[in-house]
Amino acid sequence: MPTIRYRRHVSWSNYHLTLGTVPPGGSDPSMIIDTVATVDAGDLTQPSGLARFAASGAALFEHLEAIEQMPSASRAAGTVGTTGKAWSFSGLIGASDRQLDLTGLVGITEMGADELASDAVVGADRIALVGGGTLLADIASWAEARDRTLCTSGTHLKPTIAGGFATASHGSRLGYGGLQDMVLGMHLITGSREHVWIERKTGPVLSVAGLTKLTIDGVPVRVVREDERFEDALVHLGAMGIVNGVAVELADNQRFALMQRLLTITPDLLDEIGGGHFDRVARRLGCATAPAFYELTINPHAPFSDPAGHIFYFPTHKVPLFPAGNAGIERPADVIARIGELMLAFASQPLAAPPTSAVAASAIPPWVLPALLKGADSVFAFYLDLKNFEAADSLFDPDAPERPAYLWSELHGGEITGGEPGALYNASFAIPLDRVGKALPAICAAVAQLAGSFVFTLRFVAKPAGTLAFTRFDQNAVIEIDGLSPLICRKAAQGVDPDLPQAGELLLALQELAGTLPAGAAATRAALNRAGIPYSMHWGKLGDLDRAKVYADFGHPLDTDSLIRQWRGTRDHLLTPFAKSVFWNPALIDYGLLDPA
C-alpha cells in the first residue's frame, strides 16, 4: 500500500516564487505549512493500473478520513491543499494549514484488454493508465518505448498530468486542444469513503471488469458516464477531489524536423495566421510541408521591423539508427530564467557602462539593459542572440539527410526555470485566432513605452475540451507575455554595491523594472478591451485575473445559462458535503467560482 509521510511546520513556496511572504533576512517568499502530507505510490507492484489506482485510493481515503474526524473547529475553513509540481503562479495552490503533495502518485501501465469497454472508441493499445502525479516526461518516455507518444504537451515536460490539465494548459500541436484533450477518464477521490470513475457517455473507457478493479476496501466505485459532467470535471482547478489516476490517450509515435528561422511579420502574414493557414506561413520560411507545431516570438517594441522568431516542427519520414538527442530548444521562459542568474551576478560588480552625469528623465537609463544582457538592448535581442536562428532564405527539407529527426520528448525541455527560480513573470491571454491581425498591433502599441524586459509569444489551440478552458474559443491564439519578474528585480537591487558610482541610477532602474511586467499585462488587457477583442486569461498565471473578468467570460453563477453554475453543479454531484468543505483554494474564492465556506 502507498505510504503518506507527514511533516509539521514546513517552509514552502510555489515553483515560481509568487506566493508567500519574504521571511526576515530572506530574499525568497515562502509560507509555513502546518502539516504537509507527501504521498509515495512508487513501489506499487500491481500489474493492473486500475488495481494500482485502488491501492493509492485506499491511502487517500485514510488521509481524508483523518481530516474528517478532526474536531470541527480544527478543520474549519481548511483545505486539503492538493499540489503537484506547484507550477501555478496563482493562489490555486498554497494552503497554510494543510497541504497534500501528490507528486509521488506515480505509475504508468497499459490498459488490459478485459478492462476496456466493449464499445470503446479508442483501442487499449492507445490508452495508458497513469497516476495523477506522473510527469509528462515519464509518460512520453514510457509511450515512446512502445511506439506511441503524447498527443500534445506544453513546451516543458515536467508538469504532472493532473496538474497540467487542471487549468487547461494549452498544448503544442496544431489542430489540437490542450492537455485535457488527452484525458479519456478520471478516477477521483471525492470523500473519505467515496470515489468516482468519470468518463464520457460518447467515449466509454472501462468495462464492468475494469470498474470492479477500482473497488477500494469494499467500496465500489461510483460511475458517472455523462459528456457534460465530464467536460466540467476536466478543468478541475483543484476543486473536484483528488485526481488519483487518469486514462490518457496516446498518439502514434512520430519524428519531426525542427526549423527555427527569422522572418519579419507583415500584415498579410498575420492574415494567414488568423486564417489558420499555417502551411502558407511555413512556405514563407522555406518549407513546403504542413507543420505539426508553430510558435511565434516577437519583439513587442518593434513587431513589424525587427525579425520575429519562428519555430516549426515538421513530420519527417526519416527513421535514424540512433536517437537524435535533446533538441535543446531555448524558449523565452528558459532564456529569462538564465537572465535572472545574470541579474544577480552583475548588480554587485563594476559595470562597463559609464555612469551618466545625472538621473535620466526615464528611470531606466539606456545603459542598464545592455549592461544586464551582455550588450543586448532588450530581452528579445538577448533571446535572438542566444538562439542563433537561421535566416529564411533557403529551402527546408524535413527529410534531408543532414536534418536530425526528433521524437516528441526530444523537442521539449524539462524544468521551465533552468536558471534562477522566480525570475519569470508570465501572463497568458487566449483570443479568437481570426483576431490576431488586429490584436498584435494593438497590444504592441499599448506597451511601446515600457522597458524591453519581455517578449510576446504566440501558440495555437483548436477546439479544446473542458467547460472552463480559458482557451474558450473554437480556434485560439494564445499570447504569452514572458519577462523579468518583480522578484528578480528586487533581489538584484538587494545586491547592488552602494559604493558603485552608478548605484543610485541602478536602484531606480531596478525599481522601475520591477513594475514593468505587471504594467505590461495590464496594458495588454486594456488594449484588447479597447479594440473590442474578446479574450480570456490562464487560470494559473499572472495578470490580475479577477471576479468581474471571470463572470464576463463564463457567466455569473446565478444566471441559468452560466458555465460556472454548470461547473458548480457537477462539483456538487461528485463531492460529498465534507469533500466540498475541503476541496477549494483561495483563487477559486477570489475568482468567484466558489463561495466562501
PDB file of all heavy atoms in Angstrom, residues 140-148 253:
ATOM      1  N   ALA A 140       5.826  10.352 -21.678  1.00  0.00           N
ATOM      2  CA  ALA A 140       6.411  10.369 -23.020  1.00  0.00           C
ATOM      3  C   ALA A 140       7.452   9.264 -23.177  1.00  0.00           C
ATOM      4  O   ALA A 140       7.472   8.542 -24.182  1.00  0.00           O
ATOM      5  CB  ALA A 140       7.023  11.734 -23.303  1.00  0.00           C
ATOM      6  N   SER A 141       8.326   9.113 -22.195  1.00  0.00           N
ATOM      7  CA  SER A 141       9.365   8.074 -22.284  1.00  0.00           C
ATOM      8  C   SER A 141       8.745   6.680 -22.331  1.00  0.00           C
ATOM      9  O   SER A 141       9.159   5.831 -23.131  1.00  0.00           O
ATOM     10  CB  SER A 141      10.306   8.174 -21.078  1.00  0.00           C
ATOM     11  OG  SER A 141      11.002   9.400 -21.088  1.00  0.00           O
ATOM     12  N   TRP A 142       7.763   6.459 -21.480  1.00  0.00           N
ATOM     13  CA  TRP A 142       7.092   5.156 -21.447  1.00  0.00           C
ATOM     14  C   TRP A 142       6.399   4.877 -22.783  1.00  0.00           C
ATOM     15  O   TRP A 142       6.493   3.780 -23.335  1.00  0.00           O
ATOM     16  CB  TRP A 142       6.079   5.169 -20.307  1.00  0.00           C
ATOM     17  CG  TRP A 142       5.325   3.891 -20.094  1.00  0.00           C
ATOM     18  CD1 TRP A 142       5.665   2.853 -19.278  1.00  0.00           C
ATOM     19  CD2 TRP A 142       4.075   3.522 -20.695  1.00  0.00           C
ATOM     20  NE1 TRP A 142       4.712   1.858 -19.326  1.00  0.00           N
ATOM     21  CE2 TRP A 142       3.720   2.240 -20.195  1.00  0.00           C
ATOM     22  CE3 TRP A 142       3.221   4.146 -21.599  1.00  0.00           C
ATOM     23  CZ2 TRP A 142       2.554   1.588 -20.581  1.00  0.00           C
ATOM     24  CZ3 TRP A 142       2.065   3.487 -21.994  1.00  0.00           C
ATOM     25  CH2 TRP A 142       1.731   2.221 -21.489  1.00  0.00           C
ATOM     26  N   ALA A 143       5.703   5.874 -23.295  1.00  0.00           N
ATOM     27  CA  ALA A 143       4.945   5.687 -24.531  1.00  0.00           C
ATOM     28  C   ALA A 143       5.867   5.478 -25.728  1.00  0.00           C
ATOM     29  O   ALA A 143       5.617   4.604 -26.579  1.00  0.00           O
ATOM     30  CB  ALA A 143       4.034   6.885 -24.767  1.00  0.00           C
ATOM     31  N   GLU A 144       6.936   6.254 -25.816  1.00  0.00           N
ATOM     32  CA  GLU A 144       7.810   6.168 -26.981  1.00  0.00           C
ATOM     33  C   GLU A 144       8.550   4.830 -27.030  1.00  0.00           C
ATOM     34  O   GLU A 144       8.897   4.360 -28.122  1.00  0.00           O
ATOM     35  CB  GLU A 144       8.776   7.347 -26.984  1.00  0.00           C
ATOM     36  CG  GLU A 144       8.057   8.645 -27.366  1.00  0.00           C
ATOM     37  CD  GLU A 144       8.863   9.903 -27.176  1.00  0.00           C
ATOM     38  OE1 GLU A 144      10.010   9.821 -26.684  1.00  0.00           O
ATOM     39  OE2 GLU A 144       8.346  10.988 -27.506  1.00  0.00           O
ATOM     40  N   ALA A 145       8.755   4.209 -25.880  1.00  0.00           N
ATOM     41  CA  ALA A 145       9.332   2.863 -25.871  1.00  0.00           C
ATOM     42  C   ALA A 145       8.374   1.833 -26.451  1.00  0.00           C
ATOM     43  O   ALA A 145       8.787   0.715 -26.791  1.00  0.00           O
ATOM     44  CB  ALA A 145       9.707   2.473 -24.436  1.00  0.00           C
ATOM     45  N   ARG A 146       7.090   2.200 -26.571  1.00  0.00           N
ATOM     46  CA  ARG A 146       6.052   1.322 -27.130  1.00  0.00           C
ATOM     47  C   ARG A 146       5.544   1.838 -28.461  1.00  0.00           C
ATOM     48  O   ARG A 146       4.464   1.464 -28.910  1.00  0.00           O
ATOM     49  CB  ARG A 146       4.905   1.191 -26.119  1.00  0.00           C
ATOM     50  CG  ARG A 146       5.322   0.426 -24.871  1.00  0.00           C
ATOM     51  CD  ARG A 146       4.436   0.735 -23.687  1.00  0.00           C
ATOM     52  NE  ARG A 146       4.786  -0.103 -22.537  1.00  0.00           N
ATOM     53  CZ  ARG A 146       5.821   0.166 -21.724  1.00  0.00           C
ATOM     54  NH1 ARG A 146       6.560   1.240 -21.927  1.00  0.00           N
ATOM     55  NH2 ARG A 146       6.083  -0.642 -20.713  1.00  0.00           N
ATOM     56  N   ASP A 147       6.330   2.706 -29.100  1.00  0.00           N
ATOM     57  CA  ASP A 147       5.995   3.294 -30.400  1.00  0.00           C
ATOM     58  C   ASP A 147       4.728   4.133 -30.353  1.00  0.00           C
ATOM     59  O   ASP A 147       3.968   4.203 -31.316  1.00  0.00           O
ATOM     60  CB  ASP A 147       5.882   2.214 -31.486  1.00  0.00           C
ATOM     61  CG  ASP A 147       6.170   2.794 -32.874  1.00  0.00           C
ATOM     62  OD1 ASP A 147       6.919   3.791 -32.947  1.00  0.00           O
ATOM     63  OD2 ASP A 147       5.639   2.279 -33.865  1.00  0.00           O
ATOM     64  N   ARG A 148       4.491   4.751 -29.219  1.00  0.00           N
ATOM     65  CA  ARG A 148       3.427   5.742 -29.055  1.00  0.00           C
ATOM     66  C   ARG A 148       4.060   7.003 -28.492  1.00  0.00           C
ATOM     67  O   ARG A 148       5.228   7.029 -28.117  1.00  0.00           O
ATOM     68  CB  ARG A 148       2.338   5.233 -28.100  1.00  0.00           C
ATOM     69  CG  ARG A 148       1.619   3.979 -28.579  1.00  0.00           C
ATOM     70  CD  ARG A 148       0.601   4.304 -29.648  1.00  0.00           C
ATOM     71  NE  ARG A 148      -0.179   3.129 -30.034  1.00  0.00           N
ATOM     72  CZ  ARG A 148       0.046   2.387 -31.097  1.00  0.00           C
ATOM     73  NH1 ARG A 148       1.049   2.676 -31.905  1.00  0.00           N
ATOM     74  NH2 ARG A 148      -0.708   1.343 -31.370  1.00  0.00           N
ATOM     75  N   ASN A 253       3.636   7.168 -32.551  1.00  0.00           N
ATOM     76  CA  ASN A 253       4.945   7.797 -32.454  1.00  0.00           C
ATOM     77  C   ASN A 253       5.327   8.382 -33.812  1.00  0.00           C
ATOM     78  O   ASN A 253       4.930   7.879 -34.863  1.00  0.00           O
ATOM     79  CB  ASN A 253       5.988   6.774 -32.019  1.00  0.00           C
ATOM     80  CG  ASN A 253       7.176   7.430 -31.342  1.00  0.00           C
ATOM     81  OD1 ASN A 253       7.133   8.621 -31.027  1.00  0.00           O
ATOM     82  ND2 ASN A 253       8.224   6.671 -31.099  1.00  0.00           N
TER      83      ASN A 253
END
